[in-house]
mmCIF file of all heavy atoms in Angstrom:
data_model
loop_
_atom_site.group_PDB
_atom_site.id
_atom_site.type_symbol
_atom_site.label_atom_id
_atom_site.label_comp_id
_atom_site.label_asym_id
_atom_site.label_seq_id
_atom_site.Cartn_x
_atom_site.Cartn_y
_atom_site.Cartn_z
ATOM 1 N N MET Y 1 116.544 140.045 73.186
ATOM 2 C CA MET Y 1 116.020 139.713 74.513
ATOM 3 C C MET Y 1 116.561 140.711 75.537
ATOM 4 O O MET Y 1 117.751 140.995 75.548
ATOM 5 C CB MET Y 1 116.432 138.287 74.908
ATOM 6 C CG MET Y 1 115.836 137.233 73.973
ATOM 7 S SD MET Y 1 116.447 135.563 74.303
ATOM 8 C CE MET Y 1 115.695 135.217 75.885
ATOM 9 N N SER Y 2 115.689 141.233 76.377
ATOM 10 C CA SER Y 2 116.146 142.142 77.432
ATOM 11 C C SER Y 2 116.361 141.399 78.741
ATOM 12 O O SER Y 2 116.937 141.943 79.679
ATOM 13 C CB SER Y 2 115.144 143.281 77.622
ATOM 14 O OG SER Y 2 113.870 142.753 77.909
ATOM 15 N N PHE Y 3 115.889 140.139 78.809
ATOM 16 C CA PHE Y 3 116.139 139.315 79.990
ATOM 17 C C PHE Y 3 116.199 137.853 79.583
ATOM 18 O O PHE Y 3 115.806 137.489 78.474
ATOM 19 C CB PHE Y 3 115.066 139.536 81.062
ATOM 20 C CG PHE Y 3 113.689 139.093 80.651
ATOM 21 C CD1 PHE Y 3 113.266 137.786 80.886
ATOM 22 C CD2 PHE Y 3 112.817 139.981 80.027
ATOM 23 C CE1 PHE Y 3 111.996 137.376 80.487
ATOM 24 C CE2 PHE Y 3 111.554 139.577 79.635
ATOM 25 C CZ PHE Y 3 111.141 138.267 79.863
ATOM 26 N N TYR Y 4 116.734 137.026 80.478
ATOM 27 C CA TYR Y 4 116.839 135.594 80.228
ATOM 28 C C TYR Y 4 116.673 134.862 81.555
ATOM 29 O O TYR Y 4 116.768 135.462 82.635
ATOM 30 C CB TYR Y 4 118.203 135.240 79.602
ATOM 31 C CG TYR Y 4 119.338 135.310 80.592
ATOM 32 C CD1 TYR Y 4 119.787 134.157 81.243
ATOM 33 C CD2 TYR Y 4 119.938 136.510 80.922
ATOM 34 C CE1 TYR Y 4 120.804 134.212 82.183
ATOM 35 C CE2 TYR Y 4 120.950 136.578 81.851
ATOM 36 C CZ TYR Y 4 121.387 135.426 82.480
ATOM 37 O OH TYR Y 4 122.381 135.493 83.417
ATOM 38 N N PHE Y 5 116.411 133.582 81.479
ATOM 39 C CA PHE Y 5 116.358 132.705 82.642
ATOM 40 C C PHE Y 5 117.553 131.755 82.576
ATOM 41 O O PHE Y 5 118.036 131.458 81.476
ATOM 42 C CB PHE Y 5 115.056 131.891 82.659
ATOM 43 C CG PHE Y 5 113.840 132.724 82.924
ATOM 44 C CD1 PHE Y 5 113.100 133.246 81.858
ATOM 45 C CD2 PHE Y 5 113.428 132.992 84.217
ATOM 46 C CE1 PHE Y 5 111.978 134.031 82.093
ATOM 47 C CE2 PHE Y 5 112.304 133.776 84.456
ATOM 48 C CZ PHE Y 5 111.579 134.294 83.394
ATOM 49 N N PRO Y 6 118.050 131.266 83.724
ATOM 50 C CA PRO Y 6 119.140 130.285 83.676
ATOM 51 C C PRO Y 6 118.785 129.134 82.735
ATOM 52 O O PRO Y 6 117.654 128.663 82.707
ATOM 53 C CB PRO Y 6 119.242 129.812 85.124
ATOM 54 C CG PRO Y 6 118.798 131.004 85.925
ATOM 55 C CD PRO Y 6 117.666 131.599 85.111
ATOM 56 N N GLY Y 7 119.757 128.736 81.918
ATOM 57 C CA GLY Y 7 119.561 127.661 80.958
ATOM 58 C C GLY Y 7 118.992 128.092 79.622
ATOM 59 O O GLY Y 7 118.963 127.305 78.674
ATOM 60 N N ASN Y 8 118.528 129.353 79.516
ATOM 61 C CA ASN Y 8 117.968 129.857 78.251
ATOM 62 C C ASN Y 8 119.027 129.988 77.163
ATOM 63 O O ASN Y 8 120.202 130.195 77.442
ATOM 64 C CB ASN Y 8 117.375 131.253 78.432
ATOM 65 C CG ASN Y 8 115.944 131.279 78.912
ATOM 66 O OD1 ASN Y 8 115.468 132.332 79.289
ATOM 67 N ND2 ASN Y 8 115.230 130.173 78.916
ATOM 68 N N LYS Y 9 118.541 129.922 75.915
ATOM 69 C CA LYS Y 9 119.378 130.226 74.760
ATOM 70 C C LYS Y 9 119.040 131.645 74.309
ATOM 71 O O LYS Y 9 117.870 132.004 74.195
ATOM 72 C CB LYS Y 9 119.137 129.221 73.645
ATOM 73 C CG LYS Y 9 119.654 127.838 74.000
ATOM 74 C CD LYS Y 9 119.382 126.845 72.903
ATOM 75 C CE LYS Y 9 119.920 125.472 73.311
ATOM 76 N NZ LYS Y 9 119.493 124.434 72.372
ATOM 77 N N VAL Y 10 120.076 132.433 74.068
ATOM 78 C CA VAL Y 10 119.907 133.843 73.724
ATOM 79 C C VAL Y 10 120.548 134.107 72.356
ATOM 80 O O VAL Y 10 121.746 133.883 72.181
ATOM 81 C CB VAL Y 10 120.576 134.742 74.795
ATOM 82 C CG1 VAL Y 10 120.481 136.212 74.412
ATOM 83 C CG2 VAL Y 10 119.969 134.487 76.172
ATOM 84 N N PRO Y 11 119.753 134.587 71.381
ATOM 85 C CA PRO Y 11 120.345 134.940 70.081
ATOM 86 C C PRO Y 11 121.150 136.231 70.191
ATOM 87 O O PRO Y 11 120.734 137.170 70.865
ATOM 88 C CB PRO Y 11 119.128 135.125 69.173
ATOM 89 C CG PRO Y 11 118.001 135.444 70.101
ATOM 90 C CD PRO Y 11 118.312 134.790 71.418
ATOM 91 N N VAL Y 12 122.297 136.249 69.542
ATOM 92 C CA VAL Y 12 123.183 137.419 69.563
ATOM 93 C C VAL Y 12 123.506 137.774 68.121
ATOM 94 O O VAL Y 12 123.854 136.898 67.323
ATOM 95 C CB VAL Y 12 124.492 137.116 70.324
ATOM 96 C CG1 VAL Y 12 125.406 138.333 70.344
ATOM 97 C CG2 VAL Y 12 124.192 136.631 71.733
ATOM 98 N N THR Y 13 123.393 139.051 67.791
ATOM 99 C CA THR Y 13 123.656 139.504 66.428
ATOM 100 C C THR Y 13 124.748 140.559 66.447
ATOM 101 O O THR Y 13 124.729 141.467 67.280
ATOM 102 C CB THR Y 13 122.379 140.107 65.808
ATOM 103 O OG1 THR Y 13 121.330 139.137 65.900
ATOM 104 C CG2 THR Y 13 122.598 140.467 64.355
ATOM 105 N N VAL Y 14 125.673 140.428 65.531
ATOM 106 C CA VAL Y 14 126.722 141.429 65.327
ATOM 107 C C VAL Y 14 126.467 142.052 63.959
ATOM 108 O O VAL Y 14 126.338 141.338 62.967
ATOM 109 C CB VAL Y 14 128.128 140.787 65.370
ATOM 110 C CG1 VAL Y 14 129.198 141.809 65.013
ATOM 111 C CG2 VAL Y 14 128.385 140.179 66.746
ATOM 112 N N ARG Y 15 126.350 143.367 63.926
ATOM 113 C CA ARG Y 15 126.102 144.094 62.683
ATOM 114 C C ARG Y 15 127.223 145.120 62.480
ATOM 115 O O ARG Y 15 127.666 145.754 63.435
ATOM 116 C CB ARG Y 15 124.769 144.845 62.737
ATOM 117 C CG ARG Y 15 123.582 143.940 62.945
ATOM 118 C CD ARG Y 15 122.911 143.627 61.620
ATOM 119 N NE ARG Y 15 121.717 142.838 61.826
ATOM 120 C CZ ARG Y 15 121.624 141.555 61.505
ATOM 121 N NH1 ARG Y 15 122.649 140.927 60.990
ATOM 122 N NH2 ARG Y 15 120.511 140.893 61.699
ATOM 123 N N SER Y 16 127.629 145.278 61.225
ATOM 124 C CA SER Y 16 128.692 146.215 60.908
ATOM 125 C C SER Y 16 128.364 146.960 59.623
ATOM 126 O O SER Y 16 127.778 146.393 58.707
ATOM 127 C CB SER Y 16 130.014 145.462 60.746
ATOM 128 O OG SER Y 16 131.024 146.343 60.328
ATOM 129 N N THR Y 17 128.764 148.211 59.544
ATOM 130 C CA THR Y 17 128.578 148.984 58.318
ATOM 131 C C THR Y 17 129.801 148.875 57.417
ATOM 132 O O THR Y 17 129.785 149.368 56.301
ATOM 133 C CB THR Y 17 128.309 150.465 58.630
ATOM 134 O OG1 THR Y 17 129.407 150.973 59.392
ATOM 135 C CG2 THR Y 17 127.008 150.627 59.395
ATOM 136 N N ARG Y 18 130.871 148.239 57.920
ATOM 137 C CA ARG Y 18 132.090 148.030 57.134
ATOM 138 C C ARG Y 18 132.551 146.587 57.315
ATOM 139 O O ARG Y 18 132.274 145.954 58.317
ATOM 140 C CB ARG Y 18 133.220 148.930 57.630
ATOM 141 C CG ARG Y 18 132.987 150.381 57.431
ATOM 142 C CD ARG Y 18 134.257 151.124 57.788
ATOM 143 N NE ARG Y 18 133.930 152.419 58.355
ATOM 144 C CZ ARG Y 18 134.764 153.143 59.054
ATOM 145 N NH1 ARG Y 18 135.971 152.717 59.322
ATOM 146 N NH2 ARG Y 18 134.398 154.317 59.520
ATOM 147 N N ASP Y 19 133.296 146.102 56.342
ATOM 148 C CA ASP Y 19 133.865 144.760 56.449
ATOM 149 C C ASP Y 19 134.919 144.716 57.552
ATOM 150 O O ASP Y 19 135.633 145.696 57.766
ATOM 151 C CB ASP Y 19 134.535 144.357 55.129
ATOM 152 C CG ASP Y 19 133.540 144.177 53.998
ATOM 153 O OD1 ASP Y 19 132.365 143.866 54.289
ATOM 154 O OD2 ASP Y 19 133.938 144.337 52.839
ATOM 155 N N PHE Y 20 135.019 143.573 58.213
ATOM 156 C CA PHE Y 20 136.106 143.328 59.155
ATOM 157 C C PHE Y 20 136.575 141.898 58.973
ATOM 158 O O PHE Y 20 135.876 141.067 58.405
ATOM 159 C CB PHE Y 20 135.682 143.619 60.604
ATOM 160 C CG PHE Y 20 134.518 142.789 61.107
ATOM 161 C CD1 PHE Y 20 134.736 141.573 61.744
ATOM 162 C CD2 PHE Y 20 133.210 143.234 60.965
ATOM 163 C CE1 PHE Y 20 133.669 140.814 62.218
ATOM 164 C CE2 PHE Y 20 132.142 142.490 61.438
ATOM 165 C CZ PHE Y 20 132.373 141.271 62.068
ATOM 166 N N MET Y 21 137.784 141.613 59.457
ATOM 167 C CA MET Y 21 138.366 140.283 59.256
ATOM 168 C C MET Y 21 138.276 139.421 60.512
ATOM 169 O O MET Y 21 137.950 138.252 60.438
ATOM 170 C CB MET Y 21 139.829 140.402 58.837
ATOM 171 C CG MET Y 21 139.996 140.934 57.438
ATOM 172 S SD MET Y 21 141.687 140.759 56.823
ATOM 173 C CE MET Y 21 142.605 141.757 57.961
ATOM 174 N N GLY Y 22 138.609 139.988 61.647
ATOM 175 C CA GLY Y 22 138.700 139.181 62.860
ATOM 176 C C GLY Y 22 137.809 139.685 63.963
ATOM 177 O O GLY Y 22 137.403 140.849 63.976
ATOM 178 N N PHE Y 23 137.498 138.783 64.907
ATOM 179 C CA PHE Y 23 136.680 139.179 66.054
ATOM 180 C C PHE Y 23 136.888 138.213 67.205
ATOM 181 O O PHE Y 23 137.395 137.109 67.035
ATOM 182 C CB PHE Y 23 135.193 139.253 65.678
ATOM 183 C CG PHE Y 23 134.578 137.905 65.402
ATOM 184 C CD1 PHE Y 23 133.964 137.176 66.422
ATOM 185 C CD2 PHE Y 23 134.609 137.364 64.132
ATOM 186 C CE1 PHE Y 23 133.405 135.935 66.160
ATOM 187 C CE2 PHE Y 23 134.055 136.118 63.866
ATOM 188 C CZ PHE Y 23 133.447 135.405 64.879
ATOM 189 N N LEU Y 24 136.477 138.660 68.379
ATOM 190 C CA LEU Y 24 136.452 137.851 69.593
ATOM 191 C C LEU Y 24 135.177 138.241 70.329
ATOM 192 O O LEU Y 24 134.976 139.418 70.623
ATOM 193 C CB LEU Y 24 137.682 138.137 70.457
ATOM 194 C CG LEU Y 24 137.872 137.255 71.677
ATOM 195 C CD1 LEU Y 24 138.303 135.852 71.254
ATOM 196 C CD2 LEU Y 24 138.935 137.839 72.603
ATOM 197 N N LEU Y 25 134.293 137.275 70.592
ATOM 198 C CA LEU Y 25 132.987 137.537 71.198
ATOM 199 C C LEU Y 25 132.842 136.747 72.492
ATOM 200 O O LEU Y 25 133.150 135.555 72.531
ATOM 201 C CB LEU Y 25 131.876 137.139 70.227
ATOM 202 C CG LEU Y 25 130.430 137.231 70.726
ATOM 203 C CD1 LEU Y 25 130.023 138.686 70.976
ATOM 204 C CD2 LEU Y 25 129.489 136.577 69.724
ATOM 205 N N GLN Y 26 132.365 137.416 73.552
ATOM 206 C CA GLN Y 26 132.138 136.777 74.851
ATOM 207 C C GLN Y 26 130.906 137.366 75.516
ATOM 208 O O GLN Y 26 130.530 138.503 75.254
ATOM 209 C CB GLN Y 26 133.323 137.021 75.802
ATOM 210 C CG GLN Y 26 134.632 136.456 75.343
ATOM 211 C CD GLN Y 26 135.778 136.826 76.275
ATOM 212 O OE1 GLN Y 26 135.801 137.881 76.884
ATOM 213 N NE2 GLN Y 26 136.758 135.940 76.350
ATOM 214 N N ALA Y 27 130.306 136.575 76.415
ATOM 215 C CA ALA Y 27 129.296 137.088 77.346
ATOM 216 C C ALA Y 27 130.015 137.230 78.681
ATOM 217 O O ALA Y 27 130.795 136.356 79.069
ATOM 218 C CB ALA Y 27 128.131 136.117 77.472
ATOM 219 N N ARG Y 28 129.751 138.324 79.389
ATOM 220 C CA ARG Y 28 130.400 138.563 80.682
ATOM 221 C C ARG Y 28 129.375 138.998 81.717
ATOM 222 O O ARG Y 28 128.437 139.720 81.415
ATOM 223 C CB ARG Y 28 131.475 139.640 80.551
ATOM 224 C CG ARG Y 28 132.677 139.167 79.734
ATOM 225 C CD ARG Y 28 133.695 140.277 79.554
ATOM 226 N NE ARG Y 28 134.889 139.758 78.924
ATOM 227 C CZ ARG Y 28 136.079 139.692 79.518
ATOM 228 N NH1 ARG Y 28 136.229 140.141 80.749
ATOM 229 N NH2 ARG Y 28 137.107 139.198 78.884
ATOM 230 N N LYS Y 29 129.612 138.544 82.947
ATOM 231 C CA LYS Y 29 128.756 138.934 84.059
ATOM 232 C C LYS Y 29 128.956 140.426 84.334
ATOM 233 O O LYS Y 29 130.086 140.912 84.392
ATOM 234 C CB LYS Y 29 129.127 138.164 85.324
ATOM 235 C CG LYS Y 29 128.977 136.663 85.228
ATOM 236 C CD LYS Y 29 129.440 136.033 86.541
ATOM 237 C CE LYS Y 29 129.651 134.555 86.418
ATOM 238 N NZ LYS Y 29 130.190 133.975 87.668
ATOM 239 N N VAL Y 30 127.856 141.135 84.528
ATOM 240 C CA VAL Y 30 127.932 142.560 84.848
ATOM 241 C C VAL Y 30 128.583 142.750 86.221
ATOM 242 O O VAL Y 30 129.359 143.679 86.426
ATOM 243 C CB VAL Y 30 126.526 143.201 84.800
ATOM 244 C CG1 VAL Y 30 126.549 144.621 85.347
ATOM 245 C CG2 VAL Y 30 125.988 143.182 83.370
ATOM 246 N N SER Y 31 128.327 141.847 87.151
ATOM 247 C CA SER Y 31 128.807 141.994 88.526
ATOM 248 C C SER Y 31 130.323 141.964 88.664
ATOM 249 O O SER Y 31 130.879 142.704 89.469
ATOM 250 C CB SER Y 31 128.204 140.905 89.420
ATOM 251 O OG SER Y 31 128.625 139.620 88.956
ATOM 252 N N ASN Y 32 131.005 141.116 87.875
ATOM 253 C CA ASN Y 32 132.453 140.992 88.087
ATOM 254 C C ASN Y 32 133.252 140.844 86.787
ATOM 255 O O ASN Y 32 134.438 140.548 86.831
ATOM 256 C CB ASN Y 32 132.759 139.818 89.017
ATOM 257 C CG ASN Y 32 132.268 138.499 88.454
ATOM 258 O OD1 ASN Y 32 131.857 138.411 87.305
ATOM 259 N ND2 ASN Y 32 132.313 137.471 89.282
ATOM 260 N N ASP Y 33 132.618 141.018 85.635
ATOM 261 C CA ASP Y 33 133.281 140.971 84.329
ATOM 262 C C ASP Y 33 133.826 139.589 83.965
ATOM 263 O O ASP Y 33 134.627 139.453 83.058
ATOM 264 C CB ASP Y 33 134.396 142.028 84.249
ATOM 265 C CG ASP Y 33 134.718 142.421 82.809
ATOM 266 O OD1 ASP Y 33 133.783 142.562 82.005
ATOM 267 O OD2 ASP Y 33 135.915 142.563 82.486
ATOM 268 N N GLU Y 34 133.387 138.528 84.643
ATOM 269 C CA GLU Y 34 133.836 137.175 84.318
ATOM 270 C C GLU Y 34 133.098 136.660 83.081
ATOM 271 O O GLU Y 34 131.911 136.906 82.912
ATOM 272 C CB GLU Y 34 133.564 136.205 85.473
ATOM 273 C CG GLU Y 34 134.503 136.355 86.639
ATOM 274 C CD GLU Y 34 134.203 135.344 87.741
ATOM 275 O OE1 GLU Y 34 133.282 134.499 87.595
ATOM 276 O OE2 GLU Y 34 134.881 135.415 88.778
ATOM 277 N N VAL Y 35 133.824 135.921 82.248
ATOM 278 C CA VAL Y 35 133.229 135.292 81.074
ATOM 279 C C VAL Y 35 132.270 134.206 81.551
ATOM 280 O O VAL Y 35 132.570 133.479 82.502
ATOM 281 C CB VAL Y 35 134.327 134.696 80.168
ATOM 282 C CG1 VAL Y 35 133.722 133.988 78.969
ATOM 283 C CG2 VAL Y 35 135.285 135.798 79.715
ATOM 284 N N ALA Y 36 131.102 134.117 80.900
ATOM 285 C CA ALA Y 36 130.073 133.177 81.366
ATOM 286 C C ALA Y 36 129.321 132.551 80.203
ATOM 287 O O ALA Y 36 129.201 133.135 79.127
ATOM 288 C CB ALA Y 36 129.084 133.913 82.270
ATOM 289 N N GLY Y 37 128.795 131.360 80.434
ATOM 290 C CA GLY Y 37 127.963 130.682 79.447
ATOM 291 C C GLY Y 37 128.773 130.086 78.310
ATOM 292 O O GLY Y 37 130.006 130.137 78.299
ATOM 293 N N THR Y 38 128.050 129.513 77.346
ATOM 294 C CA THR Y 38 128.697 128.896 76.190
ATOM 295 C C THR Y 38 127.919 129.241 74.929
ATOM 296 O O THR Y 38 126.710 129.484 74.972
ATOM 297 C CB THR Y 38 128.751 127.357 76.323
ATOM 298 O OG1 THR Y 38 127.419 126.872 76.513
ATOM 299 C CG2 THR Y 38 129.620 126.928 77.489
ATOM 300 N N PHE Y 39 128.618 129.248 73.825
ATOM 301 C CA PHE Y 39 127.964 129.483 72.546
ATOM 302 C C PHE Y 39 127.602 128.133 71.946
ATOM 303 O O PHE Y 39 128.422 127.220 71.891
ATOM 304 C CB PHE Y 39 128.872 130.289 71.614
ATOM 305 C CG PHE Y 39 128.973 131.729 72.035
ATOM 306 C CD1 PHE Y 39 129.944 132.141 72.939
ATOM 307 C CD2 PHE Y 39 128.067 132.663 71.560
ATOM 308 C CE1 PHE Y 39 130.019 133.462 73.359
ATOM 309 C CE2 PHE Y 39 128.132 133.993 71.974
ATOM 310 C CZ PHE Y 39 129.112 134.387 72.870
ATOM 311 N N VAL Y 40 126.330 127.998 71.524
ATOM 312 C CA VAL Y 40 125.842 126.719 70.994
ATOM 313 C C VAL Y 40 125.565 126.790 69.493
ATOM 314 O O VAL Y 40 125.320 125.769 68.865
ATOM 315 C CB VAL Y 40 124.587 126.230 71.759
ATOM 316 C CG1 VAL Y 40 124.954 125.896 73.196
ATOM 317 C CG2 VAL Y 40 123.466 127.257 71.707
ATOM 318 N N PHE Y 41 125.592 127.986 68.935
ATOM 319 C CA PHE Y 41 125.488 128.142 67.483
ATOM 320 C C PHE Y 41 126.430 129.256 67.073
ATOM 321 O O PHE Y 41 126.411 130.341 67.658
ATOM 322 C CB PHE Y 41 124.065 128.492 67.032
ATOM 323 C CG PHE Y 41 124.000 128.808 65.557
ATOM 324 C CD1 PHE Y 41 123.943 127.781 64.626
ATOM 325 C CD2 PHE Y 41 124.050 130.128 65.113
ATOM 326 C CE1 PHE Y 41 123.921 128.076 63.253
ATOM 327 C CE2 PHE Y 41 124.026 130.421 63.749
ATOM 328 C CZ PHE Y 41 123.961 129.390 62.822
#
């Protein structure tokens, strides 16, 4: 998705060419780098 509306659900995919063990994923506002929204799946 290149855009969303408030309240929308947005699919997010992480792809890697190598195995990894750990990660930390967040959505952040472009305007001030604050963490925003919630993950529902």
Side-chain angles (χ1 to χ4, degrees):
M1 297 174 69
S2 57
F3 65 89
Y4 74 96
F5 291 93
N8 274 168
K9 291 179 180 171
V10 177
V12 180
T13 305
V14 174
R15 300 262 184 252
S16 175
T17 58
R18 294 188 213 162
D19 293 334
F20 60 91
M21 289 192 298
F23 69 91
L24 187 72
L25 175 67
Q26 298 176 328
R28 291 177 173 246
K29 299 178 194 176
V30 171
S31 62
N32 60 10
D33 204 41
E34 285 181 2
V35 178
T38 56
F39 287 89
V40 294
F41 173 81

